[in-house]
Short mmCIF file of all heavy atoms in Angstrom, two decimals:
data_model
loop_
_atom_site.label_atom_id
_atom_site.label_comp_id
_atom_site.label_asym_id
_atom_site.label_seq_id
_atom_site.Cartn_x
_atom_site.Cartn_y
_atom_site.Cartn_z
N GLN A 1 -51.56 -43.46 13.67
CA GLN A 1 -52.66 -42.53 13.81
C GLN A 1 -53.88 -43.11 13.35
O GLN A 1 -54.00 -43.64 12.19
CB GLN A 1 -52.43 -41.21 13.15
CG GLN A 1 -53.41 -40.18 13.44
CD GLN A 1 -53.10 -38.89 12.69
OE1 GLN A 1 -52.35 -38.83 11.89
NE2 GLN A 1 -53.86 -37.69 13.12
N LYS A 2 -54.89 -43.23 14.22
CA LYS A 2 -56.22 -43.78 13.81
C LYS A 2 -57.00 -42.82 12.98
O LYS A 2 -57.06 -41.62 13.22
CB LYS A 2 -56.99 -44.21 15.06
CG LYS A 2 -56.29 -45.35 15.90
CD LYS A 2 -57.13 -45.71 17.04
CE LYS A 2 -56.47 -46.88 17.92
NZ LYS A 2 -57.31 -47.25 19.03
N GLY A 3 -57.60 -43.43 12.03
CA GLY A 3 -58.54 -42.51 11.08
C GLY A 3 -57.70 -41.66 10.19
O GLY A 3 -58.30 -40.69 9.56
N ALA A 4 -56.47 -41.91 9.87
CA ALA A 4 -55.69 -41.11 8.96
C ALA A 4 -56.11 -41.33 7.46
O ALA A 4 -55.84 -40.50 6.69
CB ALA A 4 -54.19 -41.39 9.12
N GLY A 5 -56.68 -42.48 7.23
CA GLY A 5 -57.20 -42.80 5.85
C GLY A 5 -56.37 -43.79 5.18
O GLY A 5 -56.88 -44.42 4.18
N TRP A 6 -55.23 -44.16 5.50
CA TRP A 6 -54.28 -45.05 4.83
C TRP A 6 -54.74 -46.48 5.15
O TRP A 6 -55.03 -46.88 6.33
CB TRP A 6 -52.80 -44.91 5.26
CG TRP A 6 -52.21 -43.60 4.81
CD1 TRP A 6 -52.09 -42.58 5.65
CD2 TRP A 6 -51.88 -43.24 3.49
NE1 TRP A 6 -51.61 -41.51 4.93
CE2 TRP A 6 -51.50 -41.79 3.64
CE3 TRP A 6 -51.92 -43.76 2.23
CZ2 TRP A 6 -51.07 -41.04 2.54
CZ3 TRP A 6 -51.46 -43.02 1.13
CH2 TRP A 6 -51.10 -41.69 1.35
N ALA A 7 -54.87 -47.34 4.08
CA ALA A 7 -55.18 -48.68 4.38
C ALA A 7 -54.07 -49.41 5.23
O ALA A 7 -54.44 -50.15 6.18
CB ALA A 7 -55.35 -49.48 3.14
N ARG A 8 -52.80 -49.13 4.88
CA ARG A 8 -51.64 -49.64 5.68
C ARG A 8 -50.50 -48.87 5.38
O ARG A 8 -50.37 -48.31 4.21
CB ARG A 8 -51.44 -51.17 5.40
CG ARG A 8 -50.48 -51.74 6.47
CD ARG A 8 -50.39 -53.21 6.33
NE ARG A 8 -49.38 -53.81 7.30
CZ ARG A 8 -49.13 -55.07 7.40
NH1 ARG A 8 -49.61 -55.97 6.51
NH2 ARG A 8 -48.28 -55.40 8.36
N VAL A 9 -49.57 -48.66 6.25
CA VAL A 9 -48.30 -48.06 5.99
C VAL A 9 -47.12 -48.98 6.10
O VAL A 9 -47.00 -49.67 7.09
CB VAL A 9 -48.06 -46.87 7.04
CG1 VAL A 9 -46.83 -46.20 6.87
CG2 VAL A 9 -49.24 -45.85 7.10
N HIS A 10 -46.46 -49.12 4.96
CA HIS A 10 -45.24 -50.03 4.94
C HIS A 10 -44.03 -49.15 4.91
O HIS A 10 -43.93 -48.13 4.23
CB HIS A 10 -45.31 -50.86 3.61
CG HIS A 10 -46.57 -51.66 3.49
ND1 HIS A 10 -46.69 -52.93 4.01
CD2 HIS A 10 -47.67 -51.45 2.86
CE1 HIS A 10 -47.87 -53.48 3.82
NE2 HIS A 10 -48.55 -52.54 2.98
N ALA A 11 -42.95 -49.65 5.66
CA ALA A 11 -41.79 -48.77 5.77
C ALA A 11 -40.59 -49.72 5.42
O ALA A 11 -40.49 -50.80 5.99
CB ALA A 11 -41.61 -48.20 7.24
N PHE A 12 -39.71 -49.25 4.60
CA PHE A 12 -38.47 -49.94 4.31
C PHE A 12 -37.25 -48.91 4.44
O PHE A 12 -37.46 -47.71 4.08
CB PHE A 12 -38.49 -50.38 2.85
CG PHE A 12 -39.54 -51.44 2.62
CD1 PHE A 12 -40.85 -51.06 2.26
CD2 PHE A 12 -39.24 -52.81 2.74
CE1 PHE A 12 -41.82 -52.04 2.09
CE2 PHE A 12 -40.26 -53.74 2.44
CZ PHE A 12 -41.49 -53.26 2.12
N THR A 13 -36.14 -49.43 4.97
CA THR A 13 -34.97 -48.58 4.95
C THR A 13 -33.87 -49.19 3.94
O THR A 13 -33.91 -50.42 3.81
CB THR A 13 -34.42 -48.54 6.39
OG1 THR A 13 -34.06 -49.89 6.83
CG2 THR A 13 -35.33 -47.91 7.30
N PHE A 14 -33.04 -48.42 3.41
CA PHE A 14 -31.97 -48.95 2.59
C PHE A 14 -30.71 -48.07 2.65
O PHE A 14 -30.81 -46.83 2.92
CB PHE A 14 -32.50 -49.00 1.14
CG PHE A 14 -32.75 -47.61 0.45
CD1 PHE A 14 -31.74 -46.96 -0.11
CD2 PHE A 14 -33.96 -47.10 0.65
CE1 PHE A 14 -32.02 -45.72 -0.74
CE2 PHE A 14 -34.22 -45.82 0.02
CZ PHE A 14 -33.26 -45.18 -0.64
N GLY A 15 -29.65 -48.69 2.58
CA GLY A 15 -28.35 -48.05 2.47
C GLY A 15 -27.50 -48.92 1.51
O GLY A 15 -27.34 -48.62 0.27
N THR A 16 -26.92 -50.01 2.05
CA THR A 16 -26.27 -50.97 1.17
C THR A 16 -27.18 -52.20 0.98
O THR A 16 -26.87 -53.00 0.11
CB THR A 16 -24.95 -51.44 1.80
OG1 THR A 16 -25.21 -51.93 3.15
CG2 THR A 16 -24.04 -50.23 1.82
N ARG A 17 -28.26 -52.24 1.73
CA ARG A 17 -29.27 -53.40 1.47
C ARG A 17 -30.65 -52.87 2.01
O ARG A 17 -30.74 -51.91 2.76
CB ARG A 17 -28.88 -54.67 2.32
CG ARG A 17 -28.87 -54.51 3.77
CD ARG A 17 -28.54 -55.80 4.60
NE ARG A 17 -28.62 -55.71 6.01
CZ ARG A 17 -28.54 -56.81 6.73
NH1 ARG A 17 -28.15 -57.89 6.31
NH2 ARG A 17 -28.67 -56.61 8.03
N LEU A 18 -31.63 -53.63 1.59
CA LEU A 18 -33.05 -53.31 1.83
C LEU A 18 -33.49 -53.95 3.11
O LEU A 18 -33.26 -55.27 3.27
CB LEU A 18 -33.91 -53.65 0.71
CG LEU A 18 -35.38 -53.27 0.77
CD1 LEU A 18 -35.52 -51.72 0.57
CD2 LEU A 18 -36.20 -54.03 -0.24
N THR A 19 -34.17 -53.26 3.98
CA THR A 19 -34.72 -53.87 5.20
C THR A 19 -36.17 -53.39 5.44
O THR A 19 -36.46 -52.20 5.39
CB THR A 19 -33.88 -53.40 6.40
OG1 THR A 19 -32.41 -53.64 6.23
CG2 THR A 19 -34.34 -54.06 7.75
N ASN A 20 -37.06 -54.35 5.71
CA ASN A 20 -38.46 -54.14 6.09
C ASN A 20 -38.66 -53.82 7.54
O ASN A 20 -38.41 -54.72 8.41
CB ASN A 20 -39.32 -55.27 5.59
CG ASN A 20 -40.80 -55.02 5.69
OD1 ASN A 20 -41.21 -53.87 6.20
ND2 ASN A 20 -41.61 -55.94 5.24
N ILE A 21 -39.05 -52.67 7.93
CA ILE A 21 -39.21 -52.28 9.40
C ILE A 21 -40.72 -52.01 9.66
O ILE A 21 -41.00 -51.30 10.68
CB ILE A 21 -38.31 -51.13 9.70
CG1 ILE A 21 -38.69 -49.84 8.94
CG2 ILE A 21 -36.85 -51.41 9.52
CD1 ILE A 21 -38.12 -48.56 9.40
N THR A 22 -41.60 -52.51 8.80
CA THR A 22 -43.06 -52.15 9.01
C THR A 22 -43.52 -52.64 10.35
O THR A 22 -44.23 -51.91 11.05
CB THR A 22 -43.76 -52.79 7.92
OG1 THR A 22 -43.35 -52.36 6.61
CG2 THR A 22 -45.31 -52.49 8.07
N ARG A 23 -43.22 -53.90 10.69
CA ARG A 23 -43.70 -54.48 11.96
C ARG A 23 -43.12 -53.71 13.24
O ARG A 23 -43.74 -53.61 14.27
CB ARG A 23 -43.47 -55.99 12.10
CG ARG A 23 -42.00 -56.33 12.08
CD ARG A 23 -41.88 -57.86 11.98
NE ARG A 23 -40.49 -58.22 12.02
CZ ARG A 23 -39.73 -58.49 13.01
NH1 ARG A 23 -40.33 -58.39 14.27
NH2 ARG A 23 -38.45 -58.87 12.89
N HIS A 24 -41.94 -53.16 13.05
CA HIS A 24 -41.43 -52.38 14.22
C HIS A 24 -42.04 -51.03 14.40
O HIS A 24 -42.24 -50.67 15.57
CB HIS A 24 -39.83 -52.25 13.99
CG HIS A 24 -39.08 -53.47 13.77
ND1 HIS A 24 -39.01 -54.43 14.73
CD2 HIS A 24 -38.35 -53.95 12.84
CE1 HIS A 24 -38.30 -55.40 14.38
NE2 HIS A 24 -37.81 -55.16 13.10
N LEU A 25 -42.49 -50.48 13.37
CA LEU A 25 -43.10 -49.14 13.52
C LEU A 25 -44.57 -49.31 14.14
O LEU A 25 -45.24 -48.34 14.48
CB LEU A 25 -43.29 -48.42 12.08
CG LEU A 25 -41.89 -47.92 11.54
CD1 LEU A 25 -42.22 -47.08 10.38
CD2 LEU A 25 -41.22 -47.02 12.63
N ALA A 26 -45.11 -50.56 14.15
CA ALA A 26 -46.39 -50.77 14.81
C ALA A 26 -46.43 -50.58 16.24
O ALA A 26 -47.50 -50.47 16.82
CB ALA A 26 -46.92 -52.11 14.34
N GLN A 27 -45.23 -50.61 16.83
CA GLN A 27 -45.17 -50.32 18.31
C GLN A 27 -45.57 -48.97 18.65
O GLN A 27 -45.21 -48.04 17.94
CB GLN A 27 -43.81 -50.67 18.84
CG GLN A 27 -43.31 -52.08 18.56
CD GLN A 27 -41.92 -52.30 19.16
OE1 GLN A 27 -41.65 -51.84 20.35
NE2 GLN A 27 -41.04 -52.99 18.45
#
């Protein structure tokens, strides 16, 4: 969303290990 105010949104998932999915949510 443009103009929401956040400098950047970073997203991580975890269960048994940590995964960075930030670049996937940019689609």
Side-chain angles (χ1 to χ4, degrees):
Q1 186 178 17
K2 296 181 179 180
W6 297 103
R8 192 171 181 186
V9 179
H10 302 272
F12 297 83
T13 61
F14 66 91
T16 56
R17 67 179 186 176
L18 184 72
T19 306
N20 187 355
I21 60 169
T22 303
R23 61 186 180 91
H24 300 302
L25 292 185
Q27 302 183 39

